[in-house]
Amino acid sequence: MKAVFRHELASYFTGMAGYVFGAFLLLFAGIYTVVINVQSGLANFAYVFSNMSFLFLIIVPILTMGAVAEEKRQKTDQLLYSLPLTMTGVTLGKYAALLVVFLLPTGILCLYPLVLSAFGSIYGPLTIGTAVGFFFLGAALLAVGLFLSSITESQGVAAGLCFVVLLVNYFLSDLSDYFSNSAGAAFWTLTVLVVLVGVVFRLMTGSRLVSLALAGVLEALLLVLYVVRGEDFSLILPAMTSGLSLFERFYPFVDGVFDLTSIVYFLTVIGIFLFLSVQSLEKRRWSA
């Protein structure tokens, strides 16, 4: 893991990717700081983090697109499979390098409130809480991007797919308003999602038995909920759709609420997509 981490981290800073990422993030941070805190005279630095969250739609696909896809294209991933390394170690090494590249400009960004505090009052606890939420949001999105990079050999496809997935997640809360209020429609929509989950696990693990068992358990739970709580079932889909949005989980931090459930959700998303990345690499390892 350490060797992969050092190699990946060096690749980001021997090339331009790490510097461009940091410069892009700090550039917009400076613009928002001037507009929100200096020109508008607002002491709440959390608004800067809030307005910067949409930048993840651009920087995450660019940063993660070559994490695995480029190695697949150049066939250098075969070297990883021949080394005495587990795919878990490889995945964690790559992900840790992504986190460091993200953490460096974010750490510099956290110095901005200290500079502003010399000219006025900045509410420290709110700023710290929002910075923590901003980091966990970015960490979760990087895990998603790493997985999407692991399922293709094209950087362009990985970046485009990542952008679409993050864009849908960004507007997921708004899209939930358009879902039908019918309990039956909600049941069948969730059934389709269960099938998709089973297909994804089938592709990632290669085990038909595990995939069928997982889909069967989820569908049984879904059916029980539909029978027992049919009158409330129509509310499940909009609430679940809104709750799945990573960006919506970040906004409570901006409002001054340090939401531990959101932290748990971010960590869960990170764990799930790192697991899927490991399975994707394992599948290619044994099919190579």
Side-chain angles (χ1 to χ4, degrees), residues 45-46 49-50 125-135 250 253-256:
F45 193 78
F49 286 111
S50 176
L126 175 59
T127 301
I128 295 173
T130 307
V132 171
F134 185 80
F135 171 75
F250 167 63
F253 293 92
V254 181
D255 296 331

Side-chain angles (χ1 to χ4, degrees), residues 209-224:
L209 180 61
V210 172
S211 303
L212 289 175
L214 176 63
V217 170
L218 292 176
E219 185 63 21
L221 291 174
L222 190 62
L223 185 60
V224 170

Side-chain angles (χ1 to χ4, degrees), residues 47-125:
Y47 291 155
V48 174
F49 286 111
S50 176
N51 283 276
M52 287 179 59
S53 63
F54 88 96
L55 293 177
F56 285 125
L57 300 179
I58 302 172
I59 59 180
V60 169
I62 293 175
L63 188 62
T64 61
M65 64 181 183
V68 181
E70 182 63 13
E71 290 201 20
K72 284 186 175 182
R73 188 183 69 83
Q74 296 183 354
K75 307 301 182 184
T76 55
D77 61 324
Q78 302 298 326
L79 296 175
L80 295 176
Y81 305 144
S82 63
L83 295 175
L85 296 172
T86 64
M87 292 302 99
T88 301
V90 171
T91 301
L92 291 179
K94 288 179 174 292
Y95 181 66
L98 287 170
L99 284 183
V100 171
V101 174
F102 170 56
L103 186 59
L104 288 176
T106 303
I108 297 174
L109 177 57
C110 291
L111 299 177
Y112 287 25
L114 296 178
V115 176
L116 293 173
S117 64
F119 303 96
S121 177
I122 296 291
Y123 188 49

